[in-house]
Amino acid sequence: MTEILIKNGFVVDPLNKINCEKMDIAIKNGKVVAKVNEKNAQVIDAAGLTVMAGGVDIHSHVAGAEVNMGRMIRPEDHYKDPVRKTALTRCGTGYSIPSTFVTGYRYSEMGYTSVFNGSVAALKAKHAHEELNDIPLMDKATYILTGDWWFVLENLAKGDVDECARLVAWLMRATKGYAIKIVNPGGLESWGFGRNVHSIDDPVPNFGITPREIMRGLIKVNKKLNMPHTIHLHTNNLGVPGNYQTTLDTMKAFEDLSTDGKPVAHITHIQFASFKGENWGKFKSGAEEIAKYMNAHNHMTLDMGQVTFSDTTTMTADGPFEFSLYELGGHNKWVNSDVETESSGGIIPFHYKKNSPVNALQWSIGLEIALLIKDPWKIFMTTDHPNGGPFYDYPKVLAWLYSKKAREATLKKCHKSAKKKSLLPSIDRELSLYEIAIMTRAGTAKALGLPDKGHLGVGADADVAIFNINPETLDISQKFRTARKAFANAAYTIKDGTIVVKDGQVVNSQIPGRTFWVDAETKDPCKIDDEMKRKFRDYWTIEFENYPVTDHYVKVSDRLERKASV
Amino acid sequence: MSKIINNVVCPICGCLCDDLEVTVKNNEIVKMKNGCAVCEAKMVHGYKSEERILKPMIRKNGKLEPVSMDEAVKKAAQILTDAKYPLLFGWSSTVNEAQRIGVELAEELGSALDNCCSVCHGPSVMATQEVGIPAATLGQIRHRADLIVYWACNPWTSHPRHVERYTAFTDGRFEGSEWKSYMNKMKASASRKKMDIASKRIEREEAQINPQVEVNGPPPQTLQKPGRKMIVVDVRKTMSAEAADYFMQIEPNRDYDVIEALRCIVQDQELDVEKVGGVPVEYLREVADAMMKCEFGVIYFGLGMTQSLGRFRNIEVAIALARDLNRKTKFIISPMRGHFNVTGANQVFAWQTGYPYAIDFSQGYPQFNPGENTAVDLLKREDNDATLVISADPGAHFPSVVMKNMMKHPLITINPDMNAISRLGDVVFPTQWCGIEYVGTAYRMDSVPITLKKVVEAPPGVLTDEELLSKILAEVREIKKKRGLPVGLTEQKIVHTEPIEPPRVCPAPVTKPKPKKVVKKKKEAA
Ligand code: SF4
Ligand SMILES: [Zn+2]
């Protein structure tokens, strides 16, 4: 293994409370070490550059059945973004849903080194892993749709949290999953018959349970299993005007579950869950209320789900949401993809436009929340790729966060009613590099429970991003375009101790990255007896033995062992 | 010594039944339980047929002669690299792991890459690209569907267990099997047939003029009642039609009209004709009623729709019908994908390139153009100058002009047995039966991934598709290198042993990550 010495960079490492200090980072055997012998090491002169840990994306749809269906139905999306084969890299296509290899390259070119896949139905988990294996240069993991899994619904309805926990532990192991994902709890099961739930206390047809009970139950399960991440939640009523109230109800419903001041739930793409107003005509921002609540409470984390004004593809397990989006009109493609006993799903291509009052305000809402929440450890930067925009728009999102000037430049072009309703003109906050590092790597790594990621302390994984930004000479808030370019094209990206990107170009594509998955060891395993297998045969159309994701499907496996308390 | 292997997956049709019980004795399958007749034919007998290819062969002086694997690989790589524009076709009966290498090979060669879907459900894929599709996995149908429509397909023979395993004759959580009522109906119809025969005899004896038989009667009242119902729409009365509650016979090539008429009725529009596609409008009205009234409906469509007049437009309008019905109830529509992993080929191609089939790599990046890059069209224009066919038999299915053009240039084949195309090959590779002799992944017609099992050892020296393609790819790269051409990097093979490193015990996250001292040398700002 090569040794690397990154010399004289401005290190931004919030987990170790280092803020733009000039120092060296030494790397050996894929880890950050105290020092290396300069003579043997490959030296990177980082003078005048900013050095951060590799980016950790907490929510992005990069692999699996839904993502691939999106690819398949959008040739017109790929035509405009062909990617040539080179001696080092495979060819492929973008745009909004890039092919797997291109996904890896483009993340890496922005200094990202880990990506967490937004949602996967357990029955199709093998598919997601097959695709993750084809995403080079990245560590990865996938969340598993658990909230409408029949065994969960049945056991929580019975009030048997312990048995539910044992089954979820089995599920994570069987799917090589990383976290409990809940999407529109109860809504996905209801969608099986074309219905939906409309509040957290709406009963789920046929199951005698409410979304509130599902979410609270799974938070308890999550704790019992001592999972690295909290539950990962896509709230009820997503994308519906007035839903900020549902979101607040949801957050309030968890208050008593955090006993140690630690977060118990992560609400993803909060922008889509912060709409005010009774209908689309009266559409308003609920950002203030959400931010106010978040500033007063510590039991939640969020990610943005920022809209970036692009021609993109929306995709979610929230089947009823996608259908209602289709019913709003103006779309010619609608995919629905229900998965027996577990989930639903939907896809609609979507072009967010500045001159649409709703889209423009959505853009504003995402930024408002991120800027109004004072503590950057509570909200992370995402676009819910590709739902709000493709992940390669991250540098744009960052620019809007660190530069009021950038915000104003965009707001100027927005629809006038959105301009009037936007809170952005009243917000002066401009994020520092330190805060950006929190929202893109340190905070996400912490929320995901990854002790070796998101920082550059001794023992950390040698995933490093170096940007052509000199904090002493470049005022990023003024020269936001220069900084944006720097974030789009990392000067260097180092993955597992190997330089993989230089000057925004992939120079080594052969680092496969690892797949994290959680193996929670329960005191008693869940009962897999004949009765369970029989049930399994009734519930699914494949045999119990053929359900699990075997080792065959994980190229480089990284098992996280957890001790459960049940 | 015989052993029984459970939960074996059937590598034949898009149903991918995974509940087979296979008995193996002396490295031979001797018995199979649970599978259908088609499955039994292949799993117990077909795979060990005398037509099995055991050694690679090269055509020399017009005759196929056995050669060593190395020689065959070299020859194949030579042909592919020498060609200006090869075509790699097939892929529907092999596993994802092989298809992945196939894409890489096509990329390295700058060739055309197409799968069998271009001659079966390609139009369905195109229609989906136009309008999307409301789909669901098969279990969703089993649990919930109370109206099942098979349109222009005959599952009884093409997907023998589709009805019994996934749709009308299976018990779900919310809907029961229709099997009993079917049996009753069959009994009734058997006695009716007897009566018919008897009465016809009497009629004939009485030398009466036979009245015109109404082939297509009105829908029965039961269509409007709760409980499972099955409708078959087709141009001829098939076995599946016999099993249905209602068979609606339509005139050939009129699918589009009939579906459009149903859409009109669903949308409350007046139809001022008496019949559409040979079906009286009142009947259509009742069928549309049943569609709107059901709790959960589904349309499965087959090649009768994709390959008849209108092609992908038929599918588009059928999808639109299902979509409209979602405003009234829950409605799903899905293609009956044929070969066991044609779905997987679409998936693998799509995640690696963005496109499901009809891909051209000649520009150094993937391009998609069905009707241009699809195998049949390409061959018709004689655009390619070498062909590799894997796990498919276009020899039996392609039009003869197309085959003639294919034969003008070198042909490489990879198939387990001497099918029509292998007989025509210039380099003929043997290969293992995936799902019988080696493990791999296939996608069911509803895109559920399932791992095929290995139940017997392959004949010695016969490689898997994956191994074979990797060898050819490596050889292609060697030849290109010798010619001073740039080549892609060979993917590092990672052995799937778990864990790679000793399992890392990840401590529970601490509330505040303790700051670690970063690096020793701190420098003053210069
Ligand atoms: S229905 Fe198809 S998959 Fe099932 S046993 Fe028969 S041939 Fe095999
Ligand atoms: Zn998402």
Side-chain angles (χ1 to χ4, degrees):
Chain A
M1 272 271 189
T2 44
E3 298 175 9
I4 299 177
L5 183 64
I6 305 166
K7 284 184 79 167
N8 293 328
F10 293 100
V11 174
V12 181
D13 184 1
L15 278 168
N16 294 305
K17 304 221 161 32
I18 291 165
N19 187 1
C20 287
E21 285 173 44
K22 235 184 201 187
M23 56 173 70
D24 296 351
I25 302 287
I27 289 169
K28 191 178 175 177
N29 292 337
K31 292 276 178 190
V32 176
V33 293
K35 67 165 186 244
V36 290
N37 185 342
E38 202 172 329
K39 280 203 203 89
N40 305 333
Q42 191 174 358
V43 177
I44 294 176
D45 178 10
L49 308 179
T50 296
V51 180
M52 294 185 187
V56 179
D57 194 342
I58 197 166
H59 186 103
S60 173
H61 299 262
V62 290
E66 206 68 20
V67 175
N68 213 32
M69 188 64 181
R71 287 190 191 103
M72 264 196 248
I73 63 155
R74 294 216 64 192
E76 78 282 6
D77 181 69
H78 310 321
Y79 292 152
K80 58 189 181 205
D81 191 12
V83 179
R84 243 168 230 291
K85 161 187 188 316
T86 73
L88 292 175
T89 54
R90 298 282 302 270
C91 67
T93 48
Y95 169 77
S96 66
I97 325 152
S99 54
T100 49
F101 303 112
V102 174
T103 301
Y105 306 149
R106 289 199 173 162
Y107 259 117
S108 195
E109 284 163 7
M110 298 192 309
Y112 271 78
T113 49
S114 306
V115 59
F116 285 69
N117 193 37
S119 64
V120 160
L123 185 62
K124 296 185 173 181
K126 292 186 192 92
H127 181 166
H129 283 290
E130 281 198 291
E131 286 193 29
L132 289 175
N133 286 342
D134 276 349
I135 299 179
L137 306 178
M138 303 293 286
D139 284 346
K140 46 243 160 182
T142 191
Y143 306 142
I144 303 299
L145 289 160
T146 315
D148 290 72
W149 205 52
W150 282 1
F151 285 137
V152 163
L153 295 180
E154 286 170 354
N155 279 290
L156 291 181
K158 261 193 295 181
D160 196 345
V161 176
D162 284 5
E163 183 58 15
C164 185
R166 285 187 280 268
L167 282 158
V168 171
W170 178 85
L171 178 68
M172 288 299 145
R173 212 174 305 125
T175 55
K176 302 263 191 293
Y178 190 82
I180 294 174
K181 176 73 188 288
I182 308 174
V183 170
N184 184 8
L188 308 193
E189 167 51 38
S190 312
W191 185 240
F193 282 118
R195 295 186 274 265
N196 198 359
V197 290
H198 301 286
S199 87
I200 64 168
D201 293 312
D202 248 15
V204 182
N206 303 315
F207 282 88
I209 194 168
T210 63
R212 179 195 297 270
E213 290 160 350
I214 299 172
M215 294 185 287
R216 284 180 59 89
L218 283 174
I219 287 178
K220 290 178 196 155
V221 164
N222 202 78
K223 274 195 188 167
K224 281 181 193 273
L225 296 181
N226 191 16
M227 298 286 283
H229 186 32
T230 58
I231 62 159
H232 198 94
L233 176 65
H234 159 137
T235 46
N236 296 110
N237 281 336
L238 188 108
V240 178
N243 65 7
Y244 83 104
Q245 200 55 58
T246 314
T247 308
L248 286 177
D249 291 347
T250 307
M251 299 201 280
K252 282 179 197 151
F254 307 156
E255 273 172 23
D256 62 313
L257 294 173
S258 169
T259 44
D260 44 12
K262 278 195 271 179
V264 292
H266 177 86
I267 294 187
T268 186
H269 40 70
I270 187 71
Q271 173 271 127
F272 291 105
S274 309
F275 298 169
K276 215 165 132 179
E278 305 89 84
N279 54 44
W280 291 110
K282 294 184 181 149
F283 187 64
K284 281 200 285 287
S285 163
E288 247 178 326
E289 287 82 352
I290 299 286
K292 197 168 145 223
Y293 184 89
M294 284 299 291
N295 284 333
H297 295 86
N298 294 322
H299 64 292
M300 306 282 311
T301 54
L302 311 175
D303 69 76
M304 292 166 70
Q306 177 62 28
V307 161
T308 66
F309 299 123
S310 59
D311 182 1
T312 191
T313 312
T314 66
M315 55 179 63
T316 160
D318 196 344
F321 160 69
E322 291 285 355
F323 184 64
S324 61
L325 187 61
Y326 173 72
E327 287 292 86
L328 285 179
H331 305 287
N332 63 336
K333 300 187 195 186
W334 166 56
V335 170
N336 180 76
S337 45
D338 298 349
V339 179
E340 66 210 51
T341 321
E342 299 178 350
S343 172
S344 69
I347 303 169
I348 286 185
F350 199 98
H351 195 160
Y352 293 95
K353 297 192 182 86
K354 295 194 184 83
N355 61 8
S356 143
V358 170
N359 298 166
L361 199 55
Q362 279 185 281
W363 167 79
S364 184
I365 292 172
L367 296 172
E368 290 164 14
I369 297 179
L371 293 163
L372 290 174
I373 293 177
K374 294 191 190 107
D375 182 359
W377 295 97
K378 287 184 184 169
I379 179 151
F380 313 125
M381 195 275 294
T382 66
T383 58
D384 186 18
H385 163 82
N387 284 300
F391 67 81
Y392 18 98
D393 280 345
Y394 286 175
K396 278 194 217 164
V397 182
L398 292 180
W400 289 320
L401 290 173
Y402 61 68
S403 164
K404 186 165 186 184
K405 206 168 144 190
R407 296 198 286 270
E408 278 166 357
T410 306
L411 190 63
K412 247 202 324 235
K413 296 182 204 142
C414 284
H415 190 276
K416 58 179 188 313
S417 95
K419 246 188 284 188
K420 243 192 353 237
K421 289 179 191 171
S422 171
L423 306 174
L424 287 178
S426 67
I427 303 173
D428 290 327
R429 185 170 170 207
E430 290 179 328
L431 297 191
S432 64
L433 286 174
Y434 192 76
E435 289 168 312
I436 284 170
I438 297 171
M439 286 180 69
T440 52
R441 45 265 286 159
T444 44
K446 183 184 163 197
L448 288 163
L450 293 165
D452 298 342
K453 297 267 177 225
H455 71 102
L456 295 169
V458 170
D461 288 342
D463 295 352
V464 188
I466 305 178
F467 299 109
N468 196 352
I469 293 173
N470 185 334
E472 280 180 350
T473 56
L474 182 74
D475 179 353
I476 57 171
S477 76
Q478 288 307 308
K479 295 249 189 251
F480 68 88
R481 287 192 186 86
T482 313
R484 192 168 73 192
K485 223 161 132 198
F487 281 120
N489 301 284
Y492 291 91
T493 305
I494 298 172
K495 176 87 201 85
D496 290 333
T498 304
I499 297 174
V500 291
V501 167
K502 194 162 181 275
D503 300 326
Q505 297 280 321
V506 173
V507 293
N508 183 340
S509 62
Q510 295 293 292
I511 308 293
R514 289 171 287 169
T515 302
F516 299 116
W517 58 281
V518 174
D519 187 356
E521 200 186 310
T522 49
K523 290 194 191 98
D524 310 301
C526 66
K527 276 190 271 111
I528 309 278
D529 50 11
D530 288 348
E531 164 68 12
M532 164 96 171
K533 287 187 188 174
R534 188 193 55 74
K535 243 189 172 172
F536 208 92
R537 195 168 296 138
D538 285 348
Y539 284 8
W540 281 272
T541 46
I542 70 174
E543 297 292 311
F544 175 78
E545 279 79 5
N546 291 330
Y547 192 80
V549 174
T550 52
D551 297 344
H552 173 81
Y553 291 96
V554 188
K555 205 180 206 174
V556 188
S557 166
D558 197 332
R559 185 168 65 109
L560 269 68
E561 226 174 59
R562 312 293 286 190
K563 281 261 174 293
S565 65
V566 285
Chain B
M1 253 291 285
S2 69
K3 68 175 175 207
I4 290 176
I5 308 172
N6 282 309
N7 312 312
V8 174
V9 185
C10 169
I12 299 177
C13 84
C15 286
L16 275 185
C17 304
D18 72 333
D19 60 345
L20 311 186
E21 189 190 296
V22 168
T23 312
V24 176
K25 200 172 172 183
N26 299 331
N27 198 35
E28 265 191 18
I29 300 175
V30 290
K31 212 169 100 193
M32 196 271 309
K33 254 167 76 177
N34 298 344
C36 67
V38 183
C39 169
E40 172 145 6
K42 176 174 173 181
M43 294 285 276
V44 185
H45 313 288
Y47 87 96
K48 42 192 176 191
S49 91
E50 282 162 13
E51 294 293 308
R52 185 72 191 264
I53 309 171
L54 293 169
K55 273 195 103 27
M57 289 176 277
I58 295 182
R59 193 170 295 276
K60 290 176 182 167
N61 305 321
K63 257 183 64 195
L64 282 175
E65 284 175 18
V67 293
S68 73
M69 186 58 83
D70 272 357
E71 192 183 338
V73 167
K74 281 219 170 72
K75 177 81 185 168
Q78 197 74 47
I79 290 172
L80 292 170
T81 339
D82 286 348
K84 288 196 188 67
Y85 190 44
L87 161 69
L88 316 187
F89 177 80
W91 311 105
S92 60
S93 296
T94 188
V95 291
N96 292 6
E97 288 78 356
Q99 291 159 355
R100 282 184 75 244
I101 313 287
V103 180
E104 202 176 346
L105 178 63
E107 196 178 309
E108 189 66 64
L109 294 165
S111 75
L113 177 70
D114 192 21
N115 61 55
C116 302
C117 131
S118 73
V119 288
C120 60
H121 274 288
S124 314
V125 176
M126 280 167 71
T128 308
Q129 290 175 336
E130 290 287 311
V131 291
I133 191 166
T137 62
L138 291 160
Q140 209 55 351
I141 314 305
R142 179 214 273 178
H143 288 304
R144 301 174 202 262
D146 57 346
L147 180 67
I148 295 142
V149 182
Y150 285 102
W151 197 300
C153 56
N154 182 13
W156 213 264
T157 49
S158 65
H159 300 74
R161 294 181 72 202
H162 197 266
V163 179
E164 82 174 56
R165 230 173 106 80
Y166 303 123
T167 66
F169 295 166
T170 150
D171 272 315
R173 185 175 188 130
F174 309 112
E175 280 296 333
S177 166
E178 209 221 345
W179 178 249
K180 271 211 193 89
S181 82
Y182 165 69
M183 287 314 283
N184 290 339
K185 214 179 68 193
M186 280 330 253
K187 271 187 214 143
S189 95
S191 48
R192 201 174 50 235
K193 261 185 204 149
K194 265 186 222 150
M195 301 264 287
D196 269 5
I197 294 166
S199 70
K200 273 194 192 126
R201 203 178 49 221
I202 295 164
E203 278 167 11
R204 228 175 314 156
E205 277 166 6
E206 291 181 2
Q208 292 272 340
I209 305 150
N210 227 1
Q212 187 113 55
V213 183
E214 175 81 277
V215 214
N216 191 9
Q221 271 310 303
T222 44
L223 271 200
Q224 313 302 340
K225 299 228 171 83
R228 261 192 183 148
K229 289 135 319 215
M230 177 166 141
I231 298 177
V232 168
V233 184
D234 212 332
V235 294
R236 70 185 74 83
K237 192 158 193 175
T238 58
M239 281 293 280
S240 310
E242 302 263 0
D245 294 272
Y246 180 51
F247 167 54
M248 186 163 88
Q249 186 165 9
I250 62 172
E251 291 165 10
N253 289 324
R254 300 295 299 277
D255 303 69
Y256 188 96
D257 313 23
V258 176
I259 300 168
E260 199 56 301
L262 286 170
R263 276 189 81 194
C264 288
I265 299 168
V266 169
Q267 290 175 357
D268 251 343
Q269 288 167 17
E270 277 308 313
L271 284 172
D272 50 7
V273 285
E274 265 166 33
K275 281 186 173 189
V276 180
V279 186
V281 168
E282 311 93 80
Y283 297 2
L284 287 177
R285 211 162 256 138
E286 281 180 48
V287 170
D289 260 356
M291 287 176 161
M292 289 185 280
K293 256 193 233 152
C294 70
E295 287 275 323
F296 185 120
V298 60
I299 298 173
Y300 282 106
F301 60 92
L303 297 186
M305 207 192 268
T306 64
Q307 302 296 333
S308 64
L309 191 72
R311 307 224 337 153
F312 81 97
R313 296 287 175 204
N314 295 339
I315 318 302
E316 225 180 273
V317 71
I319 292 172
L321 170 65
R323 207 174 57 187
D324 295 347
L325 283 163
N326 272 288
R327 303 208 173 97
K328 320 247 172 200
T329 180
K330 179 88 183 180
F331 224 95
I332 295 299
I333 179 164
S334 288
M336 294 285 274
R337 306 302 300 265
H339 292 296
F340 76 86
N341 200 25
V342 63
T343 310
N346 291 152
Q347 297 282 3
V348 174
F349 289 8
W351 85 58
Q352 294 211 343
T353 73
Y355 305 119
Y357 70 110
I359 308 166
D360 162 46
F361 287 100
S362 62
Q363 303 303 306
Y365 54 83
Q367 280 181 304
F368 171 68
N369 201 349
E372 284 286 318
N373 307 339
T374 23
V376 168
D377 306 272
L378 209 104
L379 285 159
K380 208 154 73 191
R381 290 194 312 269
E382 227 191 315
D383 267 3
N384 66 320
D385 53 356
T387 312
L388 180 146
V389 173
I390 177 164
S391 72
D393 196 2
H397 305 297
F398 274 19
S400 65
V401 282
V402 165
M403 283 311 294
K404 232 178 259 161
N405 282 348
M406 188 194 281
M407 298 317 303
K408 288 185 193 159
H409 302 286
L411 170 67
I412 303 159
T413 68
I414 305 178
N415 276 308
D417 59 3
M418 259 302 173
N419 55 9
I421 196 73
S422 294
R423 281 178 217 286
L424 301 172
D426 296 299
V427 182
V428 176
F429 286 102
T431 178
Q432 300 188 10
W433 285 110
C434 50
I436 298 176
E437 292 163 348
Y438 75 98
V439 177
T441 313
Y443 285 51
R444 205 164 69 180
M445 59 165 69
D446 55 352
S447 298
V448 170
I450 300 180
T451 318
L452 305 184
K453 286 207 169 63
K454 168 182 178 161
V455 286
V456 296
E457 291 294 333
V462 175
L463 303 177
T464 67
D465 290 340
E466 190 186 355
E467 290 164 342
L468 201 52
L469 289 164
S470 302
K471 270 184 187 288
I472 296 174
L473 176 61
E475 191 58 36
V476 164
R477 285 186 170 139
E478 276 310 307
I479 298 173
K480 282 180 78 175
K481 258 189 234 159
K482 271 187 211 138
R483 294 182 187 171
L485 298 167
V487 295
L489 287 172
T490 305
E491 194 191 346
Q492 287 164 342
K493 188 82 192 160
I494 288 157
V495 189
H496 306 291
T497 48
E498 190 263 328
I500 304 295
E501 290 162 17
R504 204 170 57 139
V505 182
C506 180
V510 276
T511 327
K512 244 177 125 195
K514 46 183 184 304
K516 290 175 202 162
K517 193 87 199 107
V518 181
V519 183
K520 297 292 154 68
K521 291 175 281 179
K522 249 194 213 176
K523 295 248 166 103
E524 256 86 26

